[in-house]
């Protein structure tokens, strides 16, 4: 609640005393941290090397080494439900997100519309003095509200994000994306022939949002929800000499990724994860390593 008015109001303005406190915007506490959410679709728990996976992620590994790696995060195995849980801490059915928004039905647990009383982190932090930005994939809006004639109540701008840039649905072409900037559609700033790729564009826009505010209020913290669509279908990897060299170098040093398959890779990733996560008893490396088939009932970890 806003602070009460403590000024004085009299008939004569000369005898009145103003008080601006109730009308000032909220201010975050001193030295409040910035908050960055990076959300990747369809990336397995042990895909990254800091969790024992075969994909080298040095920058993420560096962050993980100086922070905390959680081991009990629960996903709902679908885009919209998991996103809703991540943004407000409630179960997906309480968010009316039992399935993706395109499959919403007219029942309280699966309408594709998050109840307004289920406050999102963006709404909470915005009311506490953070700048709030969202770039990338949203997928928390009913299909019939993904148009310019619809209400913006379920768009990012209607759920606490001051600025946003990305796409509303489940997926989009990474070279010719269906982009929305705040409350209106826009065309990509460049063509693929000019080097355009959506992931780069989203990153540039996120940096732009942060710089715009920091140039005026460098001490003000921000909450950035960064959700690229690159790991989701249609799997359009950016084409460049640097990327090609990286793919050849990483995958070339791991030929078993393509030759031996996931069933061979999975138990070995779990072995590494069990020793790196700090919870070996939860993922028994000995049991997993001895399993020859994780798809057979009663064998390995299911």
């Amino acid at each position: 609640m806003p602070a009460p008015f403590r000024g004085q109001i009299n008939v004569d303005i000369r005898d009145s005393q103003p008080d601006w406190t109730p009308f000032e915007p909220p201010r975050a506490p001193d030295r409040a941290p910035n908050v960055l959410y990076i959300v990747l679709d369809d990336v397995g728990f042990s895909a990254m090397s800091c969790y024992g996976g075969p994909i080298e992620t040095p920058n993420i590994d560096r962050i993980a080494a100086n922070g905390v790696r959680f081991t009990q995060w629960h996903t709902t195995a679908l885009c919209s439900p998991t996103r809703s849980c991540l943004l407000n801490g409630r179960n997906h059915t309480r968010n009316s997100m039992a399935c993706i928004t395109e499959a919403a039905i007219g029942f309280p647990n699966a309408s594709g519309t998050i109840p307004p009383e289920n406050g999102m982190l963006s709404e909470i932090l915005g009311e506490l003095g953070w700048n709030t930005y969202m770039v990338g994939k949203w997928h928390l809006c009913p299909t019939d509200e993904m148009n310019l004639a619809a209400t913006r109540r379920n768009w990012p701008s209607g759920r606490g994000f001051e600025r946003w840039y990305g796409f509303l649905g489940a997926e989009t072409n990474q070279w010719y994306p269906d982009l929305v900037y705040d409350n209106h559609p826009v065309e990509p700033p460049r063509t693929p022939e000019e080097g355009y790729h959506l992931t780069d564009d989203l990153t540039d826009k996120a940096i732009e949002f942060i710089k715009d505010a920091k140039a005026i209020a460098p001490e003000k913290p921000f909450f950035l929800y960064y959700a690229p669509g690159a790991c989701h279908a249609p799997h359009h990897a950016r084409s460049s000499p640097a990327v090609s060299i990286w793919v050849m170098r990483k995958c070339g040093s791991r030929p078993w990724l393509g030759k031996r398959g996931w069933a061979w890779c999975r138990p070995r990733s779990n072995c590494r994860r069990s020793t790196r996560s700090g919870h070996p008893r939860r993922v028994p490396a000995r049991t997993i390593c001895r399993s020859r088939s994780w798809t057979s009932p009663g064998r390995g970890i299911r």
Side-chain angles (χ1 to χ4, degrees), residues 264-284:
W264 189 91
C265 172
R266 181 179 185 272
R268 285 156 180 79
S269 293
N270 279 336
C271 286
R272 291 188 294 270
R273 178 163 61 89
S274 67
T275 57
R276 297 181 188 182
S277 66
H279 296 281
R281 287 180 295 178
R282 286 198 168 276
V283 188

Side-chain angles (χ1 to χ4, degrees), residues 38-187:
I38 302 177
V39 180
L40 304 176
D41 285 271
D42 305 331
V43 176
F45 191 83
S46 62
M48 296 176 287
S49 54
C50 62
Y51 279 100
I55 302 173
E56 292 188 13
T57 50
N59 291 322
I60 295 176
D61 294 353
R62 177 172 50 84
I63 296 173
N66 293 302
V68 177
R69 284 175 292 172
F70 294 100
T71 60
Q72 296 298 306
W73 164 246
H74 169 71
T75 73
T76 64
L78 290 169
C79 307
S80 305
T82 297
R83 280 171 156 74
S84 73
C85 299
L86 182 63
L87 283 171
N88 67 20
R90 292 172 172 83
N91 287 331
H92 55 299
T93 49
R94 292 296 298 271
N95 287 328
S96 201
M97 286 284 179
C99 194
I100 58 175
T101 58
E102 290 84 353
I105 53 179
F107 291 96
N109 70 331
S111 69
T113 299
I114 300 175
E117 61 268 23
N118 291 8
M120 287 193 175
L121 188 57
S122 51
E123 297 169 317
I124 296 170
L125 290 180
E127 293 179 357
L128 293 176
W130 271 254
N131 283 128
T132 54
Y133 313 124
M134 185 270 169
V135 295
K137 173 179 172 177
W138 181 237
H139 207 196
L140 291 173
C141 178
T143 305
D144 57 1
E145 294 184 14
M146 296 181 188
N147 61 78
L148 289 179
T151 174
R152 305 299 197 273
R153 61 176 182 166
N154 291 307
W155 288 29
S157 53
R159 296 308 309 247
F161 287 101
E162 298 166 344
R163 305 185 69 182
W164 85 280
Y165 181 82
F167 55 101
L168 287 168
E171 59 187 55
T172 191
N173 191 299
Q174 300 293 294
W175 290 295
Y176 302 96
D178 296 321
L179 286 173
V180 179
Y181 193 167
D182 292 335
N183 281 328
H184 61 281
V186 295
E187 293 295 325

Side-chain angles (χ1 to χ4, degrees), residues 166-292:
F167 55 101
L168 287 168
E171 59 187 55
T172 191
N173 191 299
Q174 300 293 294
W175 290 295
Y176 302 96
D178 296 321
L179 286 173
V180 179
Y181 193 167
D182 292 335
N183 281 328
H184 61 281
V186 295
E187 293 295 325
R190 299 181 304 279
T191 65
E193 291 73 20
E194 296 170 322
Y196 179 83
H197 189 269
L198 179 57
T199 301
D200 296 335
D201 190 16
L202 295 176
T203 304
D204 291 342
K205 193 61 68 177
I207 295 172
E208 177 186 317
F209 287 168
I210 295 170
K211 284 184 174 180
D212 286 348
K214 291 295 184 181
I216 301 171
E219 75 289 345
K220 189 174 183 180
F222 65 83
F223 167 51
L224 172 61
Y225 178 67
Y226 179 84
C231 297
H232 190 283
H235 302 298
H236 290 162
R238 182 166 61 90
S239 177
S240 73
V243 172
S244 298
I245 292 174
W246 188 91
V247 171
M248 290 299 294
R249 180 162 56 90
K250 302 305 179 186
C251 293
S253 63
R254 292 167 174 78
W256 47 265
L257 280 174
K259 294 181 179 180
R260 298 196 179 183
W262 177 241
W264 189 91
C265 172
R266 181 179 185 272
R268 285 156 180 79
S269 293
N270 279 336
C271 286
R272 291 188 294 270
R273 178 163 61 89
S274 67
T275 57
R276 297 181 188 182
S277 66
H279 296 281
R281 287 180 295 178
R282 286 198 168 276
V283 188
R286 182 176 55 185
T287 303
I288 299 174
C289 289
R290 289 182 177 179
S291 173
R292 295 184 179 179

